[in-house]
């Protein structure tokens, strides 16, 4: 094949695969992002925050979504590209002209390298930083008691079993129609009712000072209630501010260098915690490898020319099934690595082994059409059964006639 024509074919395949990958990635990320963003709506709206803060909080999780979705988008993009080439009979023409399937697979290999590098950068650096900032914003929103309590007409859950309701708020900062329901103690519950009040901050402490009200104290065991009237009462909110402002970062929300430093430090944490940190660290390094695995699987099943549409469909289903199986076993290996250091070996062996096997078969132009052969054999058996039933029916009609 002419070298210039071969270069044009590679650029054409590269552009088709890259555009399909970008479109698929954006589409999948947008769909999953919307489902994830709905979880933050109640948090932001209940705390009286702005739409801008909601968009910032929800968008910080996008890099971690792309880490998972990018290999899947690459698989879909390669299957789409190869299937399009099949439908237009371009692979058949290239093969008839003496061209090798490598002329088509080479630009897709470069595309898989690009996706792997992108996934590595996001997995190791960007995604943990985004999740850490997300945790910080969520903690800050939950700690912003003033914004949450100052919403007139809203019933705000400050803590589990503690609800605050403000009827109105004046321009000078005073609150009117205050109701506090405290059911944190299962044996004794309190209801605080006050005509007016205000939030007062004294140093690190925050108080809700209520005036002209009463306290309804009820003991469930004795089924009795008592009412205490007051002219002024200060309800301490400092404990909830201190509880929510301390952001406890999970393993996925910690930086890669931070995890590595904890594992290498002489005063490292207990073995169970070390296994969890190590599993998270290795999973970040393994994530880009699945881009190569999915690309190899797609090209292995789709690179050879298919002469029928049923052959294309079976090849797509076979590639998808193999990719799902590889990723499923990979998830199982990640769970094993969290409990034992032995699980780190299959964590790397699964994507690397799958990539090497597919690459060898692809480079030797091995055609995996066993699924098509099975389908053809089943079709032949079905046709024979139909033909035999028709013949038996014809014999019965001839005998009765």
């Amino acid at each position: 094949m002419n070298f210039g024509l071969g270069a044009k074919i590679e650029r054409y395949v590269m552009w088709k695969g890259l555009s399909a990958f970008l479109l698929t990635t954006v589409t999948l990320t947008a769909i999953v992002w919307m489902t994830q963003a709905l979880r933050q709506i109640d948090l932001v709206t209940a705390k009286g925050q702005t739409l801008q803060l909601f968009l910032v909080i929800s968008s910080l999780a996008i890099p971690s979504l792309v880490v998972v979705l990018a290999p899947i988008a690459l698989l879909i993009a390669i299957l789409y590209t190869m299937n399009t080439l099949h439908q237009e009979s371009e692979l058949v023409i290239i093969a008839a002209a003496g061209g090798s399937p490598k002329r088509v697979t080479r630009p897709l290999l470069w595309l898989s390298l690009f996706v792997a590098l992108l996934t590595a950068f996001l997995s190791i650096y960007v995604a943990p930083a985004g999740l850490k900032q997300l945790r910080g914003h969520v903690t800050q929103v939950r700690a912003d008691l003033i914004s949450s309590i100052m919403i007139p007409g809203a019933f705000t859950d400050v803590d589990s079993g503690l609800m605050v309701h403000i009827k109105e708020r004046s321009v000078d900062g005073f609150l009117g129609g205050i109701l506090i329901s405290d059911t944190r103690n299962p044996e004794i519950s309190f209801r605080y009712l006050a005509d007016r009040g205000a939030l007062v901050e004294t140093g690190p402490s925050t108080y809700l000072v209520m005036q002209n009200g009463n306290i309804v104290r009820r003991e469930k065991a004795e089924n009795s209630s008592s009412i205490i009237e007051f002219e002024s009462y200060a309800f301490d909110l400092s404990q909830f501010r201190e509880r929510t402002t301390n952001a406890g970062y999970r393993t996925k929300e910690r930086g890669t260098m931070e995890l590595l430093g904890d594992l290498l430090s002489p005063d490292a944490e207990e073995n169970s915690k070390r296994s969890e940190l190590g599993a998270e660290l290795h999973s970040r390094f393994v994530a880009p490898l699945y881009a190569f695995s999915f690309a190899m699987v797609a090209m292995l099943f789709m690179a050879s020319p298919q002469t029928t549409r049923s052959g294309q469909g079976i090849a797509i289903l076979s590639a998808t099934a193999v990719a799902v199986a590889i990723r499923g076993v990979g998830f199982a290996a990640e769970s094993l690595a969290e409990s034992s250091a032995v699980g780190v070996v299959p964590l790397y062996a699964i994507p690397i082994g799958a990539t090497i096997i597919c690459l060898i078969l692809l480079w030797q132009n091995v055609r995996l059409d066993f699924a098509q052969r099975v389908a053809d054999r089943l079709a032949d058996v079905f046709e024979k059964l139909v033909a035999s039933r028709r013949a038996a029916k014809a014999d019965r009609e001839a005998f009765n006639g």
Side-chain angles (χ1 to χ4, degrees):
M1 177 176 287
N2 183 270
F3 178 77
L5 180 60
K8 292 181 179 179
I9 293 175
E10 292 186 7
R11 288 195 299 269
Y12 171 73
V13 174
M14 181 66 177
W15 170 249
K16 183 179 288 291
L18 179 60
S19 58
F21 166 75
L22 295 177
L23 179 60
T24 306
T25 303
V26 172
T27 303
L28 292 178
T29 303
I31 294 174
V32 179
W33 175 79
M34 285 188 292
T35 60
Q36 296 293 324
L38 293 177
R39 299 181 180 180
Q40 306 296 338
I41 288 182
D42 293 337
L43 171 65
V44 176
T45 56
K47 300 299 182 180
Q49 303 298 325
T50 62
L51 177 61
Q52 180 181 0
L53 181 59
F54 165 71
L55 294 176
V56 170
I57 291 178
S58 57
S59 62
L60 287 174
I62 291 180
S64 60
L65 296 178
V66 176
V67 170
V68 179
L69 297 176
I72 301 175
L74 177 64
L75 173 68
I76 297 175
I78 294 179
L79 291 177
Y80 166 78
T81 302
M82 303 299 291
N83 186 52
T84 303
L85 296 177
H86 280 301
Q87 290 181 347
E88 301 296 332
S89 301
E90 292 170 326
L91 285 181
V92 177
I93 296 174
I94 294 174
S100 172
K102 301 183 184 66
R103 185 67 70 179
V104 176
T105 58
R106 187 180 294 114
L108 298 179
L109 287 175
W110 284 110
L111 177 61
S112 63
L113 177 61
F114 165 75
V115 175
L117 293 177
L118 174 64
T119 306
F121 177 70
L122 294 177
S123 175
I124 296 175
Y125 298 105
V126 182
L131 292 178
K132 189 173 185 178
Q133 293 184 24
L134 174 61
R135 174 64 58 182
H137 281 295
V138 171
T139 304
Q140 182 180 2
V141 169
R142 289 175 175 171
D144 194 356
L145 296 177
I146 296 179
S147 297
S148 61
I149 293 178
M150 297 280 282
I151 304 176
F155 292 85
T156 305
D157 293 323
V158 179
D159 193 23
S160 178
L162 182 62
M163 184 273 297
V164 177
H165 171 71
I166 304 297
K167 182 179 179 180
E168 57 184 0
R169 181 185 63 187
S170 62
V171 293
D172 54 1
F174 283 96
L175 309 175
I178 301 174
L179 167 64
I180 300 178
S181 175
D182 188 356
T183 59
R184 292 172 294 173
N185 189 337
E187 302 297 331
I188 304 176
S189 62
F190 296 89
R191 298 290 189 276
Y192 302 86
L193 299 172
D195 293 337
R196 58 181 301 176
L199 285 171
V200 178
E201 294 190 8
T202 58
S205 301
T206 302
Y207 297 93
L208 176 57
V209 180
M210 297 175 285
Q211 298 176 349
N212 301 329
N214 58 71
I215 303 174
V216 180
R217 182 179 184 270
R218 181 177 181 181
E219 296 184 7
K220 295 184 178 180
E222 300 180 0
N223 194 21
S224 61
S225 301
S226 60
I227 300 177
I228 304 174
E229 295 184 355
F230 61 84
E231 294 183 358
S232 179
Y233 184 86
F235 190 87
D236 189 6
L237 298 174
S238 303
Q239 53 179 322
F240 309 110
R241 178 180 291 275
E242 293 173 358
R243 182 184 307 175
T244 54
T245 51
N246 295 325
Y249 296 110
R250 302 173 183 174
T251 306
K252 292 182 178 295
E253 299 164 351
R254 301 171 63 181
T256 301
M257 299 306 298
E258 182 181 356
L259 294 179
L260 187 60
D262 291 342
L263 289 175
L264 298 180
S265 62
D267 54 344
E269 305 176 50
E270 60 273 12
N271 292 335
S272 60
K273 194 64 175 179
R274 284 177 57 87
S275 299
E276 181 182 353
L277 297 178
E280 174 61 26
L281 187 64
H282 288 294
S283 65
R284 296 179 185 180
F285 295 143
V286 168
L289 300 180
Y290 285 98
F292 292 111
S293 300
F294 286 5
M296 294 300 105
V297 169
M299 289 185 287
L300 180 63
F301 282 90
M302 298 293 294
S304 300
Q306 303 286 341
T307 57
T308 62
R309 293 186 179 271
S310 62
Q312 299 172 18
I314 292 176
I316 292 175
L317 292 177
S318 301
T320 304
V322 172
V324 170
I326 292 174
R327 197 63 186 96
V329 177
F331 283 131
E334 291 181 8
S335 301
L336 179 62
E338 293 181 358
S339 58
S340 174
V342 181
V344 175
V345 177
L347 199 63
Y348 288 91
I350 293 170
I352 294 177
T355 302
I356 293 176
I357 293 174
C358 293
L359 187 60
I360 293 175
L361 296 177
L362 184 64
W363 201 256
Q364 293 180 352
N365 292 331
V366 176
R367 183 175 181 180
L368 297 183
D369 56 353
F370 58 89
Q372 179 64 44
R373 293 198 301 268
V374 172
D376 292 341
R377 181 62 59 86
L378 292 176
D380 293 340
V381 172
F382 180 76
E383 290 179 359
K384 290 180 180 180
L385 289 176
V386 173
S388 62
R389 293 192 62 179
R390 289 178 178 175
K393 183 178 180 181
D395 292 341
R396 287 194 302 267
E397 292 178 353
F399 178 78
N400 294 332

